[in-house]
């Protein structure tokens, strides 16, 4: 009755690793950009690598590094991570409905570490229930490449000439653009939200410069998402079968 | 020392957001407003993180603007992430040698 769990733990682990390869390759390039950004912000190679290993999230880490560089408060750090990563809560909620019966609490505590946008997308598109072995394989290869990419990006950021690393400082932001523009082109409501958030970001930076970067991101992001939800609520269930 | 606290706060909050619904929470979110809000949050946050920070990412607003235009154009035509990122950096690097 449960397709995933009919395989042995090892073969589902291997299947997870296999499904994780395209995610891991994407993560490698994004985290390379993060490593360069982190070193440019004044962090050490070790700090950048540890941040990637224990956070496994691109937008949250980029905002976190900006707060560390600006000497922001711990409260600002906590609130920023809460808002930026709130979406993982919904993804975790959705995935929790899809776990097979061998997922006891310690296994859930382990797998919680690795719920990202891409891993959520891959796991939720899988037919049938999810086994622990499959999730371990998927997360392990993705987290490994995320951490390795950060390390290599940070090392490169320290060794390459400044003219090159300053241009590479654009990589992470260019990837954010590559993430938000295609859906914004296809959906008018996403476009409205993206433009509202960008205008809020400009407003805070130039009109209210005393608002620190983390709070500016929180307020702009919450305001733009709330405008979208009020004016253009999503019709379909975002997580398909989850309801 | 404060670096360790920063990382602990970051990682702790991020983990709890993932862990609590995954292990404990069993109900579905019914509110259409809240579901829509969560759907829009990633786009809103990424946009607010990018503007205006991207214009300061290279230390030279002119080269950053060139890179940004290249990134927006390539993203509009659905190029893969890594292509957009490398082309934007290359455009900023080359314009830095000319400007």
């Amino acid at each position: 009755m449960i397709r995933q769990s009919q395989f042995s733990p090892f073969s589902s682990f291997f299947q997870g690793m296999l499904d994780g390869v395209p995610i891991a390759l994407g993560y490698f390039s994004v985290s390379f950009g993060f490593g360069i950004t982190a070193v440019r912000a004044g962090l050490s190679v070790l700090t950048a690598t540890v941040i990637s290993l224990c956070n496994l999230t691109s937008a949250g880490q980029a905002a976190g590094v900006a707060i560390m560089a600006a000497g922001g408060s711990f409260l600002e750090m906590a609130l920023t991570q809460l808002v930026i990563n709130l979406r993982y809560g919904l993804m975790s909620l959705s995935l929790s409905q899809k776990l097979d019966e061998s997922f006891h609490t310690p296994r859930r505590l382990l797998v919680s570490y690795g719920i990202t946008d891409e891993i959520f997308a891959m796991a939720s598109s899988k037919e049938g229930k999810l086994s622990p072995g499959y999730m371990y394989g998927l997360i392990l290869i993705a987290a490994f490449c995320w951490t390795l990419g950060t390390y290599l990006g940070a090392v490169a950021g320290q060794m390459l000439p400044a003219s090159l690393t300053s241009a590479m400082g654009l990589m992470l932001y260019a990837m954010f653009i590559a993430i938000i523009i295609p859906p914004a082109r296809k959906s008018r409501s996403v476009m409205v939200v993206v433009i509202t958030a960008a205008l809020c970001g400009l407003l805070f930076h130039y009109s209210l410069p005393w608002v620190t970067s983390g709070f500016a991101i929180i307020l702009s992001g919450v305001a733009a998402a709330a405008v979208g939800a009020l004016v253009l609520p999503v019709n379909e269930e975002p997580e398909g079968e989850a309801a | 020392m404060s670096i360790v606290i920063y990382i602990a706060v970051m990682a702790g909050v991020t983990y709890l957001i993932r862990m609590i619904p995954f292990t404990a929470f069993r109900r579905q979110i019914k509110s259409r407003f809240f579901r829509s809000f969560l759907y829009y949050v990633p786009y809103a946050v990424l946009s607010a993180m990018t503007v205006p920070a991207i214009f300061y990412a290279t230390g030279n607003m002119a080269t950053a603007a060139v890179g940004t235009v290249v990134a927006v154009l390539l993203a509009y035509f659905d190029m893969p992430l890594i292509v957009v990122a490398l082309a934007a950096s290359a455009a900023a690097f080359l314009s830095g040698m000319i400007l």
Side-chain angles (χ1 to χ4, degrees):
Chain A
M1 75 185 210
I2 294 160
R3 188 165 297 188
Q4 269 300 319
S5 303
Q6 283 169 352
F7 296 112
S8 72
F10 181 77
S11 76
S12 61
F13 177 78
F14 187 74
Q15 184 61 48
M17 295 257 282
L18 212 59
D19 286 355
V21 167
I23 297 175
L25 291 177
Y27 278 12
F28 184 85
S29 48
V30 176
S31 63
F32 193 88
F34 171 75
I36 287 185
T37 303
V39 166
R40 277 175 56 77
L43 302 187
S44 70
V45 174
L46 178 68
T47 304
T49 310
V50 169
I51 289 174
S52 277
L53 179 64
C54 59
N55 283 273
L56 201 63
T57 170
S58 62
Q61 288 181 201
V65 164
I67 291 169
M68 289 166 80
S73 68
F74 298 128
L75 178 69
E76 181 182 4
M77 177 67 93
L79 287 176
T80 306
Q81 299 303 315
L82 179 67
V83 170
I84 293 180
N85 294 333
L86 199 58
R87 65 186 189 282
Y88 294 140
L90 186 71
M91 295 175 190
S92 292
L93 190 58
S94 171
L95 274 191
S96 72
Q97 322 284 314
K98 219 176 135 59
L99 306 177
D100 74 16
E101 69 281 3
S102 69
F103 252 111
H104 50 61
T105 302
R107 288 174 173 168
R108 286 176 187 242
L109 291 177
L110 265 181
V111 168
S112 308
Y113 156 79
I115 295 162
T116 68
D117 305 67
E118 294 77 10
I119 286 168
F120 166 75
M122 177 63 73
S124 58
S125 70
K126 216 66 192 159
E127 202 179 317
K129 296 277 182 182
L130 295 165
S131 68
Y134 179 78
M135 293 304 292
Y136 296 156
L138 196 57
I139 291 166
L140 193 70
I141 190 168
F144 176 76
C145 283
W146 179 252
T147 308
L148 181 69
T150 303
Y151 172 76
L152 294 176
V155 169
Q158 283 193 330
M159 293 193 323
L160 297 173
S163 60
L164 204 55
T165 58
S166 63
M168 289 168 94
L170 270 184
M171 280 181 75
L172 194 65
Y173 296 108
M175 282 187 250
F176 290 165
I177 287 180
I179 293 170
I180 56 182
I181 297 267
R185 200 189 65 174
K186 289 171 197 106
S187 155
R188 195 173 54 92
S189 56
V190 172
M191 179 74 86
V192 168
V193 168
V194 162
I195 290 173
T196 306
L199 290 178
C200 290
L202 289 172
L203 180 78
F204 275 112
H205 190 79
Y206 294 108
S207 309
L208 307 162
W210 45 270
V211 178
T212 50
S213 70
F215 283 117
I217 291 167
I218 296 173
L219 295 170
S220 304
V222 167
V227 165
L230 277 176
V231 181
L232 304 155
V234 179
N235 279 323
E236 77 281 20
E237 300 289 341
E239 259 63 67
E241 61 170 20
Chain B
M1 188 58 214
S2 72
I3 291 237
V4 176
I5 303 177
Y6 274 131
I7 297 177
V9 169
M10 256 175 104
V13 171
T14 306
Y15 179 71
L16 288 176
I17 294 166
R18 288 167 165 154
M19 185 273 279
I20 292 170
F22 204 66
T23 50
F25 198 72
R26 296 274 165 181
R27 285 182 298 126
Q28 287 293 325
I29 293 169
K30 292 279 199 292
S31 157
R32 191 174 176 216
F33 172 80
F34 194 57
R35 293 186 75 109
S36 303
F37 177 77
L38 286 170
Y39 171 77
Y40 287 128
V41 159
Y43 303 113
V45 164
L46 286 175
S47 179
M49 285 185 60
T50 304
V51 182
I54 192 169
F55 300 115
Y56 299 94
T58 65
N60 176 338
M61 271 205 160
T63 65
V66 170
T68 304
V69 169
V70 168
V72 169
L73 282 176
L74 291 179
Y76 189 82
F77 292 107
D78 262 335
M79 290 294 162
L81 288 192
I82 186 66
V83 172
V84 175
L86 288 177
S89 292
F93 180 71
L94 293 176
S95 62
M97 302 206 305
I98 299 163
L99 292 173

